[in-house]
Amino acid sequence: MNSSSGKTIIITGGAGFIGSHVVRLFVTKYPDYRIVNLDALTYAGNLENLLDIEKAPNYFFEKTDILDTQAIDEIFVKYQPHGIIHLAAESHVDRSILSPLDFVYTNVIGTVNLLQAARKHWTGQFDDKRFYHVSTDEVYGALGETGLFTEETRYDPHSPYSASKAASDHFVRAYHDTYGLPIVLSNCSNNYGPNHFPEKLIPLFINNIITKKPLPVYGDGLYTRDWLFVKDHALAIDKVFHHGRNGQTFNIGGFNEWRNIDLVKLLCKQMDEKLGNAPGTSEPLITYVKDRPGHDRRYAIDATKINQELGWAPSVTFEEGLSQTIDWYLQNTAWLENVTSGVYQQYYAEQYSKR
Ligand code: NAD
Ligand code: TYD
């Protein structure tokens, strides 16, 4: 889809972690677009993420659940969107182990609801339309010591989260193959950065170092993830949305693998420097706890295709990105305090009382 003026784009999940960075990028970079943030504001949705752009004339917010077929229908009528960038999802593996059905509803049925609405309202007039589904590398399953996920890697999800995302990916491709819906997909590795909800590894551990609480490392700590700075993911989404060929999938990752324990030690080191602690102050907080069931050993993305076809590459090193992320959390203590109160506390108690 080219970037000519006057387009209306619905971004689902725009109040969440990645979605808020995508909304900000599109609102500021494309002043001629109307950007509609469609979000149900679950525990993970936070409009405080978007305070700096909420008054922009091209920004609109709709508090809507993607499971609400009638409301989605009305939004298509009201805005006549040219594009959907679909990020709304239940996104946390540990929550999916506790409540798998929530993941089936939002990630699978919610996605099909949106596909149905696009199919119904675009009525075969697909020339200037695009449905972009944002997905995860976790659909590919787990790697051993070597190898990388390519776009051709067979799907092999293990958690209810990754199974639900895999199902949604299949539905998006099915709507392309069956009804001709113009689609693109991307499967990205683990993101980190500002506005990350503090139940995921990096923000949880930043918060626990600040508050001097234990750092619960699952299992032997040798699980490996491929980390990408969230703003680089948003830039990749911009490229894929505008220039990815119809029907194509792009893997997005930073060629940046870290074993959890090494990442946590780097985080402790950077935090001690920034907090003015003596070297080695925070590492003793590391506590090995019971492993996550079905824990995937290693994820690593081959991002050659998006690099060669769309010219995208990460802009920051992990050390720089992590440093910027820590600075953001240290400068936004009110955000962190608001998020870590209430519902989050109940979840935290349930999740860690058994470990
Ligand atoms: P997040 O949990 O921070 O945000 C999800 C957003 O979706 C929230 O604002 C929430 O309110 C909204 N939402 C949830 N259920 C909804 C519903 N039924 N209707 C409308 N809105 C609803 O998630 P995130 O980490 O920003 O991830 C965004 C997307 O990117 C997800 O699809 C996820 O699978 C994918 N992804 C995430 C990562 C990562 O590392 N976080 C990596 C690759 C892909
Ligand atoms: P997470 O941030 O939940 O992302 P994902 O499960 O989607 O990869 O976890 C990243 C890694 O960190 C994963 O291997 C699980 C591990 N982890 C811990 O060791 N302790 C924790 O408290 C959390 C939340 C995660």
Side-chain angles (χ1 to χ4, degrees):
M1 178 177 252
N2 67 34
S3 56
S4 60
S5 61
K7 299 222 178 291
T8 297
I9 298 165
I10 295 178
I11 300 180
T12 73
F17 167 46
I18 302 170
S20 62
H21 288 276
V22 177
V23 166
R24 178 176 299 99
L25 177 67
F26 275 67
V27 164
T28 52
K29 185 170 175 186
Y30 302 108
D32 292 343
Y33 286 6
R34 286 198 305 174
I35 302 300
V36 182
N37 173 8
L38 188 163
D39 198 298
L41 298 184
T42 68
Y43 80 95
N46 185 351
L47 289 177
E48 284 184 24
N49 293 345
L50 292 165
L51 287 178
D52 55 325
I53 56 102
E54 68 179 7
K55 297 215 160 49
N58 62 337
Y59 172 71
F60 303 82
F61 173 67
E62 294 284 348
K63 182 177 183 314
T64 305
D65 192 323
I66 58 171
L67 287 165
D68 186 340
T69 312
Q70 192 184 333
I72 298 293
D73 221 44
E74 286 166 11
I75 283 174
F76 267 75
V77 172
K78 180 173 172 187
Y79 290 101
Q80 306 278 317
H82 301 86
I84 312 292
I85 304 180
H86 175 39
L87 295 107
E90 289 291 340
S91 69
H92 186 34
V93 174
D94 292 322
R95 282 181 188 260
S96 83
I97 295 167
L98 295 173
S99 315
L101 274 180
D102 293 343
F103 287 68
V104 176
Y105 290 132
T106 285
N107 297 0
V108 186
I109 299 173
T111 300
V112 178
N113 254 346
L114 289 170
L115 289 164
Q116 274 293 90
R119 184 182 155 223
K120 175 177 164 191
H121 290 276
W122 290 345
T123 57
Q125 305 298 309
F126 290 152
D127 284 354
D128 58 348
K129 306 293 195 305
R130 170 145 284 190
F131 190 109
Y132 179 178
H133 180 60
V134 176
S135 193
T136 167
D137 62 354
E138 303 192 24
V139 297
Y140 296 125
L143 292 163
E145 291 292 308
T146 58
L148 299 171
F149 297 134
T150 73
E151 288 80 2
E152 275 70 50
T153 301
R154 194 174 72 89
Y155 275 31
D156 184 22
H158 298 294
S159 72
Y161 165 64
S162 54
S164 68
K165 290 297 289 189
S168 65
D169 292 11
H170 291 318
F171 270 106
V172 173
R173 294 196 180 98
Y175 271 65
H176 175 68
D177 295 347
T178 308
Y179 307 112
L181 198 77
I183 59 127
V184 277
L185 271 104
S186 57
N187 296 87
C188 188
S189 61
N190 286 60
N191 284 217
Y192 69 97
N195 306 99
H196 205 181
F197 194 83
E199 66 183 2
K200 307 275 177 91
L201 180 75
I202 291 179
L204 174 71
F205 281 29
I206 291 175
N207 190 35
N208 285 11
I209 291 171
I210 294 171
T211 52
K212 300 190 173 57
K213 279 168 55 182
L215 306 176
V217 172
Y218 296 167
D220 62 6
L222 301 180
Y223 293 84
T224 299
R225 298 291 182 262
D226 178 355
W227 293 92
L228 181 68
F229 194 48
V230 64
K231 294 182 189 189
D232 280 327
H233 189 189
L235 291 168
I237 287 174
D238 182 19
K239 290 261 191 200
V240 172
F241 182 72
H242 287 105
H243 306 296
R245 281 177 296 128
N246 184 18
Q248 292 287 306
T249 294
F250 295 87
N251 280 358
I252 306 173
F255 290 107
N256 177 45
E257 289 183 50
W258 285 80
R259 295 189 311 181
N260 290 342
I261 191 63
D262 297 332
L263 186 162
V264 172
K265 285 181 178 169
L266 175 66
L267 186 65
C268 287
K269 182 168 172 284
Q270 287 200 1
M271 289 286 294
D272 283 341
E273 283 164 14
K274 288 177 192 290
L275 292 169
N277 293 337
T281 301
S282 296
E283 262 196 40
L285 294 172
I286 293 173
T287 310
Y288 289 93
V289 298
K290 194 168 151 233
D291 210 349
R292 169 189 282 173
H295 199 170
D296 287 333
R297 193 63 168 167
R298 176 172 164 258
Y299 301 143
I301 280 277
D302 181 348
T304 306
K305 179 177 174 183
I306 188 169
N307 178 259
Q308 292 186 347
E309 282 195 23
L310 305 182
W312 173 88
S315 68
V316 292
T317 65
F318 187 58
E319 285 77 0
E320 286 163 3
L322 192 62
S323 171
Q324 282 187 39
T325 302
I326 296 169
D327 289 344
W328 186 87
Y329 280 93
L330 293 177
Q331 285 156 16
N332 289 273
T333 46
W335 183 95
L336 197 54
E337 275 159 26
N338 289 348
V339 170
T340 51
S341 60
V343 175
Y344 173 72
Q345 296 286 9
Q346 289 162 20
Y347 163 77
Y348 193 92
E350 191 184 352
Q351 176 63 20
Y352 289 100
S353 62
K354 302 179 215 98
R355 289 187 187 271

